[in-house]
């Protein structure tokens, strides 16, 4: 029986990642008409435990984050879009779809935290109405 | 349960042994339920960890179902444990 | 982490603000498509909004990938005005031509619609952030 909080901590870290990612994607939406703007994205650098990872991803990666606890790889993600005549490469539909999927992962992680907490509470009270 | 032959006075030594059917044993059910709970919990934890690492192969329905299964298995095992404990206490209070 | 939902909201808000400016400018252009005598003399000059990505304060390690947007300038059309021959017009010049703004109403409408769609996308994005924050607050309930 896993009576520790490690999975809950990992889910918490995942929620942090998805929250940060929302800010990035919101920026893409805000810049949907900005000349020359290419959409950004971030990915979890594999080590959600805070290990430093300089992980340049293919396709135009920017510098990976080098601060502990925030090893997100930052990339451009044009999604195969050709830039328009003003250089803007944002597809609004694509960004909105990403935002929605991101929000769903966030909400699921939150729900999982709640349920795992409830299980731990139950086990701690030994199922006697705890 | 196999039938018990009526005991004849003075033939205790020849009394047949009652066959024990493991499936009807509460202790056995409890052990099984505990194993199930443990294994489902591992599965749920594994899926939740993968989900937390943003592994796209773990869908939200998968991780939710796995978590609820583990939850139910835990409750079931706990209920069996409580029943076993109850039975034990009752037995201990029986005047022999 | 240095960004929180507040930062994401600021990003979205900057987008809403910029798109509103675009809508206002397009509306102004439309309204003045036939203005031959603007303040300061001469026909109305079409206005164009120039947008630029903007860094927000306090983004910490997320600086560079979290971008707001701002109106960096509103340009006035400097090209020569459109001339129409109309000798009877009070603003006709010595040759009988009247100077009109270089405004194509269809273009302005398209700009308004584009800005309006972008505005709505910003609102949807903001709602997502609010929804996520609410989910976090419901943990344990």
């Amino acid at each position: 029986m896993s009576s520790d909080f490690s999975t809950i901590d990992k889910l918490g870290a995942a929620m942090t990642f998805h929250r940060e990612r929302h800010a990035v994607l919101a920026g893409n939406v805000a810049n949907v008409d900005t000349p020359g703007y290419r959409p950004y994205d971030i990915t979890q650098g594999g080590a959600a435990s805070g290990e430093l990872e300089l992980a340049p991803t293919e396709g135009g990666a920017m510098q990976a984050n080098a601060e502990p606890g925030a090893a997100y790889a930052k990339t451009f993600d044009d999604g195969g879009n050709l830039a328009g005549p003003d250089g803007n490469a944002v597809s609004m539909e694509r960004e909105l779809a990403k935002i929605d999927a991101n929000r769903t992962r966030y909400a699921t992680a939150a729900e999982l935290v709640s349920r795992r907490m409830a299980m731990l509470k139950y086990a701690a009270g030994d199922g006697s109405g705890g | 349960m196999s039938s018990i032959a009526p005991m004849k006075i003075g033939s205790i030594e020849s009394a047949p042994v009652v066959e024990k059917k493991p499936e009807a044993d509460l202790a056995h059910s409890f052990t099984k339920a505990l194993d199930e709970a443990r294994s489902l919990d591992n599965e749920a934890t594994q899926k939740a960890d993968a989900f937390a690492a943003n592994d796209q192969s773990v869908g939200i329905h998968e991780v939710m179902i796995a978590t609820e299964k583990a939850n139910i298995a835990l409750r079931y095992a706990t209920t069996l444990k409580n029943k076993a404990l109850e039975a034990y206490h009752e037995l201990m209070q029986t005047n022999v | 982490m240095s960004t929180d939902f507040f930062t994401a909201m600021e990003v979205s808000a900057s987008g809403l603000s910029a798109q509103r400016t675009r809508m206002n400018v397009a509306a102004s252009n439309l309204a003045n498509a036939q203005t031959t005598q603007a303040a300061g003399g001469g026909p109305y000059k079409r206005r164009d909004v120039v947008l630029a990505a903007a860094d927000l304060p306090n983004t910490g390690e997320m600086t560079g990938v979290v971008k707001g947007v701002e109106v960096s300038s509103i340009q006035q059309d400097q090209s020569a005005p459109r001339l129409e021959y109309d000798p009877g017009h009070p603003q006709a010049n010595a040759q009988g031509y009247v100077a009109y703004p270089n405004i194509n109403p269809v273009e302005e409408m398209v700009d308004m619609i584009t800005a309006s769609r972008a505005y709505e996308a910003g609102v949807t994005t903001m709602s997502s952030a609010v929804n996520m924050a609410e989910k976090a607050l419901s943990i344990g309930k």
Side-chain angles (χ1 to χ4, degrees):
Chain A
M1 186 66 52
S2 58
S3 55
D4 62 323
F5 294 101
S6 83
T7 298
I8 288 177
D9 287 342
K10 286 184 187 154
L11 288 167
M15 286 174 74
T16 301
F17 167 73
H18 289 297
R19 182 196 67 204
E20 300 291 302
R21 187 162 184 247
H22 178 85
V24 175
L25 299 176
N28 293 340
V29 169
N31 282 285
V32 68
D33 291 313
T34 303
Y37 183 91
R38 288 176 70 197
Y40 298 99
D41 205 342
I42 56 173
T43 58
Q44 280 176 302
S49 50
E51 242 182 74
L52 295 182
E53 236 194 33
L54 299 175
T57 61
E58 345 230 347
M62 299 175 63
Q63 93 281 8
N65 193 287
E67 280 179 84
Y72 303 147
K74 299 167 184 169
T75 66
F76 285 114
D77 188 15
D78 295 9
N81 266 347
L82 295 175
D86 61 353
N88 181 288
V90 178
S91 157
M92 193 190 298
E93 292 78 15
R94 186 158 192 272
E95 298 305 314
L96 290 175
K98 280 179 167 188
I99 284 172
D100 207 54
N102 188 58
R103 183 189 53 78
T104 304
R105 300 288 287 201
Y106 183 93
T108 304
E111 188 59 40
L112 285 171
V113 169
S114 280
R115 297 208 185 184
R116 293 188 75 92
M117 292 274 202
M119 272 174 77
L120 291 176
K121 277 189 214 168
Y122 176 79
D126 197 35
S128 48
Chain B
M1 233 171 204
S2 50
S3 54
I4 304 172
M7 289 185 59
K8 299 183 195 121
I9 311 258
S11 59
I12 294 177
E13 303 80 23
S14 60
V17 177
V18 173
E19 229 178 71
K20 205 171 168 196
K21 285 202 178 163
E23 306 85 69
D25 196 294
L26 179 58
H28 181 86
S29 297
F30 171 60
T31 310
K32 230 180 75 166
L34 198 57
D35 286 340
E36 181 92 4
R38 200 172 284 127
S39 124
L40 285 175
D41 178 70
N42 283 338
E43 211 188 295
T45 299
Q46 205 189 12
K47 290 218 160 96
D49 284 347
F51 183 85
N54 207 22
D55 182 353
Q56 295 297 319
S57 69
V58 180
I60 59 180
H61 68 285
E62 280 175 60
V63 67
M64 291 296 278
I65 288 172
T67 303
E68 278 308 291
K69 277 166 73 174
N71 198 347
I72 290 169
L74 169 65
R75 285 169 186 270
Y76 181 62
T78 307
T79 302
L80 282 187
K81 182 212 74 176
N82 290 341
K83 288 232 184 300
L85 226 64
E86 247 179 72
Y88 175 77
H89 283 138
E90 255 188 62
L91 195 65
M92 291 313 283
Q93 275 160 15
T94 306
N95 293 326
V96 182
Chain C
M1 289 325 111
S2 49
T3 62
D4 52 15
F5 282 122
F6 185 63
T7 303
M9 305 275 218
E10 280 189 306
V11 164
S12 291
S14 73
L16 297 184
S17 186
Q19 298 302 339
R20 263 195 55 203
T21 302
R22 276 181 80 203
M23 281 195 272
N24 288 339
V25 166
S28 171
N29 289 341
L30 262 179
N32 286 289
Q34 305 296 319
T35 300
T36 55
Q37 196 74 30
Y44 175 88
K45 287 192 170 73
R46 179 179 182 269
R47 277 154 179 77
D48 198 17
V49 173
V50 179
L51 300 173
D55 281 319
L56 283 115
N58 301 321
T59 43
E61 57 243 19
M62 294 299 286
T63 302
V65 279
V66 173
K67 297 276 189 188
V69 67
E70 64 183 2
V71 172
S72 65
S73 64
I74 300 183
Q75 310 267 335
Q76 279 193 19
D77 180 22
Q78 295 305 325
S79 58
R82 182 170 58 86
L83 297 174
E84 254 188 45
Y85 187 70
D86 189 5
H89 195 281
Q91 260 98 48
N93 63 7
Q95 287 78 37
Y97 286 94
V98 185
Y100 283 98
N102 279 308
I103 292 179
N104 178 349
V106 173
E107 249 179 63
E108 303 304 320
M109 282 304 296
V110 168
D111 275 354
M112 280 195 90
I113 292 168
T114 309
S116 179
R117 268 188 67 218
Y119 186 92
E120 278 173 34
V123 171
T124 304
T125 304
M126 228 168 181
S127 302
S128 274
V130 170
N131 178 276
M132 285 162 82
E134 278 171 2
K135 287 285 189 281
L137 288 171
S138 312
I139 289 178
K141 286 213 184 128

